[in-house]
């Protein structure tokens, strides 16, 4: 759970991070220990006061039984993140650290009917196939093949009730140091590093 002092990003910005990287951990209470499933989650901004998360998990997953009972769940999204070396700072006199984005969503879960689940599985597939030059579509499967696979999963909606986020990109560091890290990350071939560089420039200290 994020400490209250760490809630440093707006709800809209947090939703943007979710859309940028849908990979998430869905966490729910169980009898002895919490259950956690890693799964891609889509965002429907048009449903619910704060939006709705949409996903699915394997029907054989023990967490599926918990989700059937409804109630509140926690969904954790890890946005771009990177290790920052002291060698990146002009004075080389800073401690090693991590720059990162994390978004935590609380919501109420309900299960989807089969038609709704299929619609969202198709949208999820399209989301990941969009940049594939040889893109695949569910329509390449037979109806029997689709039906068989649909029976093996459980689709769910999570109506968002609270959003918390933390963006740590050197906001408290001197401007020169923050920009030095941004310059290093901007030259990376890793898209997450470039995204962090953009955030540093947007959130960097205005003096210091």
């Amino acid at each position: 759970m994020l400490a209250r002092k760490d809630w440093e990003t707006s709800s809209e910005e947090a939703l943007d991070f979710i859309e940028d990287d849908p990979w998430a951990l869905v966490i729910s209470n169980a009898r002895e220990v919490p259950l956690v499933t890693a799964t891609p989650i889509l965002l429907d901004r048009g449903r619910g006061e704060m939006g709705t998360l949409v996903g699915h998990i394997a029907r054989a997953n023990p967490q599926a039984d918990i989700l059937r009972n409804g109630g509140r769940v926690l969904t954790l999204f890890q946005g771009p993140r990177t290790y920052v070396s002291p060698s990146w700072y002009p004075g080389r006199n800073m401690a090693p650290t991590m720059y990162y984005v994390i978004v935590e969503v609380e919501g109420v879960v309900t299960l989807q009917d089969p038609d709704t689940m299929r619609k969202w599985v198709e949208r999820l597939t399209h989301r990941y196939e969009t940049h594939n030059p040889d893109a695949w579509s569910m329509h390449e499967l037979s109806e029997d093949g689709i039906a068989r696979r649909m029976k093996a999963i459980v689709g769910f909606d999570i109506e968002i009730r609270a959003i918390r986020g933390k963006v740590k990109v050197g906001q408290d560091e001197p401007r020169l140091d923050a920009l030095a890290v941004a310059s290093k990350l901007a030259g990376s071939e890793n898209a997450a590093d470039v995204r962090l560089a953009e955030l540093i420039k947007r959130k960097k200290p205005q003096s210091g």
Side-chain angles (χ1 to χ4, degrees):
M1 185 71 71
L2 301 178
R4 287 187 179 273
K5 65 183 179 64
D6 289 338
W7 298 354
E8 298 173 352
T9 188
S10 70
S11 293
E12 284 303 309
E13 186 177 40
L15 293 176
D16 289 342
F17 286 125
I18 291 172
E19 289 187 323
D20 285 345
D21 188 353
W23 190 248
L25 298 176
V26 179
I27 307 165
S28 53
N29 289 325
R31 181 171 299 178
E32 296 180 355
V33 297
L35 294 178
V36 182
T37 298
T39 185
I41 299 287
L42 294 179
L43 172 65
D44 184 351
R45 293 193 189 224
R47 281 194 293 147
E49 185 175 343
M50 302 180 70
T52 298
L53 302 179
V54 184
H56 66 272
I57 62 175
R59 187 174 295 274
N61 186 330
Q63 195 171 13
D65 289 333
I66 302 297
L67 298 183
R68 287 189 188 96
N69 294 328
R72 296 179 81 90
V73 298
L74 185 69
T75 308
L76 192 65
F77 295 85
Q78 294 191 63
R81 57 198 178 276
T82 192
Y83 171 77
V84 176
S85 168
S87 68
W88 297 357
Y89 297 100
R92 299 174 65 93
N93 59 347
M94 303 288 279
T97 191
M98 295 290 295
Y99 280 10
Y100 62 89
V101 174
I102 193 164
V103 177
E104 186 181 278
V105 179
E106 287 186 25
V108 176
V109 64
T110 55
L111 295 190
Q112 299 170 345
D113 62 65
D115 289 340
T116 300
M117 182 175 65
R118 174 168 174 168
K119 177 185 73 174
W120 281 100
V121 170
E122 289 178 346
R123 289 187 182 182
L124 180 63
T125 303
H126 178 72
R127 165 70 168 77
Y128 281 102
E129 289 283 346
T130 297
H131 302 294
N132 181 0
D134 188 27
W136 181 88
S137 167
M138 279 181 59
H139 299 294
E140 295 183 42
L141 293 175
S142 68
E143 280 300 315
D144 287 345
I146 293 175
R148 175 166 53 82
R149 289 168 172 81
M150 292 295 104
K151 289 179 181 178
I153 62 176
V154 173
F156 57 84
D157 295 336
I158 301 173
E159 184 179 349
I160 299 173
R161 298 295 175 84
I163 304 175
R164 298 180 284 275
K166 179 175 175 63
V167 176
K168 181 181 182 295
V169 288
Q171 297 96 315
D172 298 327
E173 296 172 3
R175 180 184 177 89
L176 184 62
D177 289 336
L179 289 178
V181 175
S183 177
K184 184 74 173 181
L185 295 174
S188 171
E189 295 182 357
N190 186 314
D193 288 348
V194 175
R195 179 80 169 105
L196 286 171
E198 295 168 353
L199 283 170
I200 294 169
K201 293 174 184 177
R202 192 165 81 235
K203 293 179 175 290
K204 66 181 183 295
Q206 296 303 307
S207 63

PDB file of all heavy atoms in Angstrom, residues 3 24 30-31 37 50 52 54 56 77 118 128-129 150 163 172 178 192 201-202 208:
ATOM      1  N   ALA A   3       2.087   4.906   0.853  1.00  0.00           N
ATOM      2  CA  ALA A   3       1.883   5.859   1.934  1.00  0.00           C
ATOM      3  C   ALA A   3       1.185   7.097   1.390  1.00  0.00           C
ATOM      4  O   ALA A   3       1.415   7.501   0.250  1.00  0.00           O
ATOM      5  CB  ALA A   3       3.230   6.242   2.553  1.00  0.00           C
ATOM      6  N   ALA A  24      -0.672  -5.924 -15.050  1.00  0.00           N
ATOM      7  CA  ALA A  24      -1.028  -5.586 -13.678  1.00  0.00           C
ATOM      8  C   ALA A  24      -1.058  -6.816 -12.778  1.00  0.00           C
ATOM      9  O   ALA A  24      -1.079  -7.959 -13.249  1.00  0.00           O
ATOM     10  CB  ALA A  24      -2.405  -4.910 -13.659  1.00  0.00           C
ATOM     11  N   ALA A  30      -8.187 -13.619   0.660  1.00  0.00           N
ATOM     12  CA  ALA A  30      -8.632 -15.009   0.770  1.00  0.00           C
ATOM     13  C   ALA A  30      -8.617 -15.388   2.249  1.00  0.00           C
ATOM     14  O   ALA A  30      -8.335 -14.554   3.117  1.00  0.00           O
ATOM     15  CB  ALA A  30      -7.728 -15.935  -0.039  1.00  0.00           C
ATOM     16  N   ARG A  31      -8.908 -16.639   2.549  1.00  0.00           N
ATOM     17  CA  ARG A  31      -9.061 -17.037   3.947  1.00  0.00           C
ATOM     18  C   ARG A  31      -7.757 -16.906   4.724  1.00  0.00           C
ATOM     19  O   ARG A  31      -7.744 -16.420   5.860  1.00  0.00           O
ATOM     20  CB  ARG A  31      -9.574 -18.475   4.017  1.00  0.00           C
ATOM     21  CG  ARG A  31      -9.792 -18.988   5.442  1.00  0.00           C
ATOM     22  CD  ARG A  31     -10.503 -20.313   5.443  1.00  0.00           C
ATOM     23  NE  ARG A  31     -11.831 -20.204   4.824  1.00  0.00           N
ATOM     24  CZ  ARG A  31     -12.655 -21.236   4.669  1.00  0.00           C
ATOM     25  NH1 ARG A  31     -12.289 -22.451   5.060  1.00  0.00           N
ATOM     26  NH2 ARG A  31     -13.838 -21.064   4.112  1.00  0.00           N
ATOM     27  N   THR A  37      -2.817 -12.436  -9.003  1.00  0.00           N
ATOM     28  CA  THR A  37      -2.678 -12.921 -10.372  1.00  0.00           C
ATOM     29  C   THR A  37      -2.119 -11.805 -11.246  1.00  0.00           C
ATOM     30  O   THR A  37      -2.608 -10.671 -11.209  1.00  0.00           O
ATOM     31  CB  THR A  37      -4.031 -13.368 -10.942  1.00  0.00           C
ATOM     32  OG1 THR A  37      -4.540 -14.451 -10.165  1.00  0.00           O
ATOM     33  CG2 THR A  37      -3.887 -13.820 -12.396  1.00  0.00           C
ATOM     34  N   MET A  50     -15.313   6.757 -12.093  1.00  0.00           N
ATOM     35  CA  MET A  50     -13.869   6.925 -12.236  1.00  0.00           C
ATOM     36  C   MET A  50     -13.284   6.007 -13.304  1.00  0.00           C
ATOM     37  O   MET A  50     -12.067   5.956 -13.490  1.00  0.00           O
ATOM     38  CB  MET A  50     -13.173   6.661 -10.897  1.00  0.00           C
ATOM     39  CG  MET A  50     -13.635   7.549  -9.761  1.00  0.00           C
ATOM     40  SD  MET A  50     -12.779   7.185  -8.201  1.00  0.00           S
ATOM     41  CE  MET A  50     -11.131   7.806  -8.598  1.00  0.00           C
ATOM     42  N   THR A  52     -13.589   1.931 -15.399  1.00  0.00           N
ATOM     43  CA  THR A  52     -13.709   0.505 -15.074  1.00  0.00           C
ATOM     44  C   THR A  52     -12.539  -0.252 -15.685  1.00  0.00           C
ATOM     45  O   THR A  52     -12.197  -0.040 -16.853  1.00  0.00           O
ATOM     46  CB  THR A  52     -15.037  -0.063 -15.620  1.00  0.00           C
ATOM     47  OG1 THR A  52     -16.131   0.612 -14.995  1.00  0.00           O
ATOM     48  CG2 THR A  52     -15.146  -1.560 -15.335  1.00  0.00           C
ATOM     49  N   VAL A  54     -10.965  -3.877 -16.939  1.00  0.00           N
ATOM     50  CA  VAL A  54     -11.537  -5.074 -17.543  1.00  0.00           C
ATOM     51  C   VAL A  54     -10.438  -6.096 -17.806  1.00  0.00           C
ATOM     52  O   VAL A  54      -9.391  -5.764 -18.371  1.00  0.00           O
ATOM     53  CB  VAL A  54     -12.241  -4.735 -18.878  1.00  0.00           C
ATOM     54  CG1 VAL A  54     -12.917  -5.977 -19.450  1.00  0.00           C
ATOM     55  CG2 VAL A  54     -13.259  -3.614 -18.692  1.00  0.00           C
ATOM     56  N   HIS A  56      -9.405 -10.772 -17.557  1.00  0.00           N
ATOM     57  CA  HIS A  56      -9.842 -12.150 -17.393  1.00  0.00           C
ATOM     58  C   HIS A  56      -8.692 -12.970 -16.819  1.00  0.00           C
ATOM     59  O   HIS A  56      -7.524 -12.597 -16.935  1.00  0.00           O
ATOM     60  CB  HIS A  56     -10.311 -12.761 -18.718  1.00  0.00           C
ATOM     61  CG  HIS A  56      -9.217 -12.928 -19.728  1.00  0.00           C
ATOM     62  ND1 HIS A  56      -8.856 -11.949 -20.625  1.00  0.00           N
ATOM     63  CD2 HIS A  56      -8.375 -13.973 -19.977  1.00  0.00           C
ATOM     64  CE1 HIS A  56      -7.879 -12.371 -21.377  1.00  0.00           C
ATOM     65  NE2 HIS A  56      -7.552 -13.605 -21.020  1.00  0.00           N
ATOM     66  N   PHE A  77      -0.482  -1.528 -10.924  1.00  0.00           N
ATOM     67  CA  PHE A  77       0.164  -1.347 -12.223  1.00  0.00           C
ATOM     68  C   PHE A  77       1.569  -0.778 -12.011  1.00  0.00           C
ATOM     69  O   PHE A  77       1.726   0.234 -11.330  1.00  0.00           O
ATOM     70  CB  PHE A  77      -0.625  -0.371 -13.103  1.00  0.00           C
ATOM     71  CG  PHE A  77      -1.983  -0.865 -13.484  1.00  0.00           C
ATOM     72  CD1 PHE A  77      -3.069  -0.678 -12.635  1.00  0.00           C
ATOM     73  CD2 PHE A  77      -2.188  -1.506 -14.690  1.00  0.00           C
ATOM     74  CE1 PHE A  77      -4.335  -1.113 -12.991  1.00  0.00           C
ATOM     75  CE2 PHE A  77      -3.451  -1.951 -15.060  1.00  0.00           C
ATOM     76  CZ  PHE A  77      -4.528  -1.769 -14.202  1.00  0.00           C
ATOM     77  N   ARG A 118     -16.056 -12.207 -24.394  1.00  0.00           N
ATOM     78  CA  ARG A 118     -15.473 -12.409 -25.717  1.00  0.00           C
ATOM     79  C   ARG A 118     -15.132 -11.070 -26.371  1.00  0.00           C
ATOM     80  O   ARG A 118     -14.062 -10.914 -26.968  1.00  0.00           O
ATOM     81  CB  ARG A 118     -16.422 -13.200 -26.605  1.00  0.00           C
ATOM     82  CG  ARG A 118     -15.913 -13.304 -28.048  1.00  0.00           C
ATOM     83  CD  ARG A 118     -16.673 -14.297 -28.851  1.00  0.00           C
ATOM     84  NE  ARG A 118     -16.254 -14.263 -30.253  1.00  0.00           N
ATOM     85  CZ  ARG A 118     -16.584 -15.170 -31.153  1.00  0.00           C
ATOM     86  NH1 ARG A 118     -17.333 -16.204 -30.807  1.00  0.00           N
ATOM     87  NH2 ARG A 118     -16.173 -15.062 -32.402  1.00  0.00           N
ATOM     88  N   TYR A 128      -2.685  -5.708 -28.323  1.00  0.00           N
ATOM     89  CA  TYR A 128      -1.318  -6.197 -28.407  1.00  0.00           C
ATOM     90  C   TYR A 128      -0.878  -6.520 -29.834  1.00  0.00           C
ATOM     91  O   TYR A 128       0.318  -6.590 -30.109  1.00  0.00           O
ATOM     92  CB  TYR A 128      -1.146  -7.422 -27.503  1.00  0.00           C
ATOM     93  CG  TYR A 128      -0.980  -7.042 -26.053  1.00  0.00           C
ATOM     94  CD1 TYR A 128      -2.033  -7.150 -25.154  1.00  0.00           C
ATOM     95  CD2 TYR A 128       0.237  -6.573 -25.573  1.00  0.00           C
ATOM     96  CE1 TYR A 128      -1.875  -6.789 -23.822  1.00  0.00           C
ATOM     97  CE2 TYR A 128       0.403  -6.220 -24.253  1.00  0.00           C
ATOM     98  CZ  TYR A 128      -0.659  -6.327 -23.380  1.00  0.00           C
ATOM     99  OH  TYR A 128      -0.498  -5.961 -22.057  1.00  0.00           O
ATOM    100  N   GLU A 129      -1.823  -6.724 -30.742  1.00  0.00           N
ATOM    101  CA  GLU A 129      -1.480  -7.049 -32.120  1.00  0.00           C
ATOM    102  C   GLU A 129      -1.344  -5.813 -33.011  1.00  0.00           C
ATOM    103  O   GLU A 129      -0.883  -5.909 -34.148  1.00  0.00           O
ATOM    104  CB  GLU A 129      -2.542  -7.973 -32.725  1.00  0.00           C
ATOM    105  CG  GLU A 129      -2.533  -9.390 -32.168  1.00  0.00           C
ATOM    106  CD  GLU A 129      -1.405 -10.242 -32.749  1.00  0.00           C
ATOM    107  OE1 GLU A 129      -0.805  -9.836 -33.765  1.00  0.00           O
ATOM    108  OE2 GLU A 129      -1.127 -11.304 -32.161  1.00  0.00           O
ATOM    109  N   MET A 150     -12.915 -19.929 -24.506  1.00  0.00           N
ATOM    110  CA  MET A 150     -13.699 -19.044 -23.656  1.00  0.00           C
ATOM    111  C   MET A 150     -14.170 -19.752 -22.380  1.00  0.00           C
ATOM    112  O   MET A 150     -14.275 -19.148 -21.321  1.00  0.00           O
ATOM    113  CB  MET A 150     -14.911 -18.483 -24.410  1.00  0.00           C
ATOM    114  CG  MET A 150     -14.584 -17.509 -25.527  1.00  0.00           C
ATOM    115  SD  MET A 150     -13.828 -15.953 -24.986  1.00  0.00           S
ATOM    116  CE  MET A 150     -12.121 -16.262 -25.473  1.00  0.00           C
ATOM    117  N   ILE A 163      -8.041   5.712  -6.743  1.00  0.00           N
ATOM    118  CA  ILE A 163      -6.793   5.614  -7.511  1.00  0.00           C
ATOM    119  C   ILE A 163      -5.688   6.326  -6.736  1.00  0.00           C
ATOM    120  O   ILE A 163      -5.881   7.446  -6.260  1.00  0.00           O
ATOM    121  CB  ILE A 163      -6.922   6.261  -8.900  1.00  0.00           C
ATOM    122  CG1 ILE A 163      -8.068   5.655  -9.699  1.00  0.00           C
ATOM    123  CG2 ILE A 163      -5.617   6.120  -9.678  1.00  0.00           C
ATOM    124  CD1 ILE A 163      -8.308   6.333 -11.027  1.00  0.00           C
ATOM    125  N   ASP A 172      12.894  15.891  -6.178  1.00  0.00           N
ATOM    126  CA  ASP A 172      13.562  16.588  -5.074  1.00  0.00           C
ATOM    127  C   ASP A 172      15.059  16.784  -5.313  1.00  0.00           C
ATOM    128  O   ASP A 172      15.762  17.323  -4.451  1.00  0.00           O
ATOM    129  CB  ASP A 172      13.359  15.804  -3.767  1.00  0.00           C
ATOM    130  CG  ASP A 172      11.888  15.703  -3.391  1.00  0.00           C
ATOM    131  OD1 ASP A 172      11.140  16.650  -3.695  1.00  0.00           O
ATOM    132  OD2 ASP A 172      11.496  14.685  -2.791  1.00  0.00           O
ATOM    133  N   ALA A 178      18.754  16.284 -12.210  1.00  0.00           N
ATOM    134  CA  ALA A 178      17.580  15.649 -12.821  1.00  0.00           C
ATOM    135  C   ALA A 178      17.683  15.658 -14.340  1.00  0.00           C
ATOM    136  O   ALA A 178      17.392  14.659 -15.013  1.00  0.00           O
ATOM    137  CB  ALA A 178      16.308  16.352 -12.365  1.00  0.00           C
ATOM    138  N   ALA A 192      10.585   2.546 -22.172  1.00  0.00           N
ATOM    139  CA  ALA A 192      10.267   2.941 -20.799  1.00  0.00           C
ATOM    140  C   ALA A 192      11.240   4.014 -20.316  1.00  0.00           C
ATOM    141  O   ALA A 192      10.844   4.962 -19.614  1.00  0.00           O
ATOM    142  CB  ALA A 192      10.307   1.732 -19.878  1.00  0.00           C
ATOM    143  N   LYS A 201      11.506  15.746 -17.310  1.00  0.00           N
ATOM    144  CA  LYS A 201      11.471  17.102 -17.856  1.00  0.00           C
ATOM    145  C   LYS A 201      10.194  17.822 -17.448  1.00  0.00           C
ATOM    146  O   LYS A 201      10.177  19.052 -17.263  1.00  0.00           O
ATOM    147  CB  LYS A 201      11.606  17.050 -19.376  1.00  0.00           C
ATOM    148  CG  LYS A 201      12.968  16.553 -19.841  1.00  0.00           C
ATOM    149  CD  LYS A 201      13.010  16.371 -21.347  1.00  0.00           C
ATOM    150  CE  LYS A 201      14.341  15.790 -21.801  1.00  0.00           C
ATOM    151  NZ  LYS A 201      14.379  15.539 -23.264  1.00  0.00           N
ATOM    152  N   ARG A 202       9.102  17.076 -17.319  1.00  0.00           N
ATOM    153  CA  ARG A 202       7.829  17.691 -16.948  1.00  0.00           C
ATOM    154  C   ARG A 202       7.728  17.983 -15.447  1.00  0.00           C
ATOM    155  O   ARG A 202       7.112  18.950 -15.037  1.00  0.00           O
ATOM    156  CB  ARG A 202       6.673  16.767 -17.383  1.00  0.00           C
ATOM    157  CG  ARG A 202       5.326  17.458 -17.287  1.00  0.00           C
ATOM    158  CD  ARG A 202       4.252  16.717 -18.042  1.00  0.00           C
ATOM    159  NE  ARG A 202       3.726  15.601 -17.299  1.00  0.00           N
ATOM    160  CZ  ARG A 202       3.680  14.357 -17.745  1.00  0.00           C
ATOM    161  NH1 ARG A 202       4.164  14.075 -18.936  1.00  0.00           N
ATOM    162  NH2 ARG A 202       3.156  13.406 -17.012  1.00  0.00           N
ATOM    163  N   GLY A 208      17.152  25.200  -8.077  1.00  0.00           N
ATOM    164  CA  GLY A 208      18.020  24.364  -7.270  1.00  0.00           C
ATOM    165  C   GLY A 208      19.249  23.968  -8.016  1.00  0.00           C
ATOM    166  O   GLY A 208      19.387  24.141  -9.197  1.00  0.00           O
TER     167      GLY A 208
END
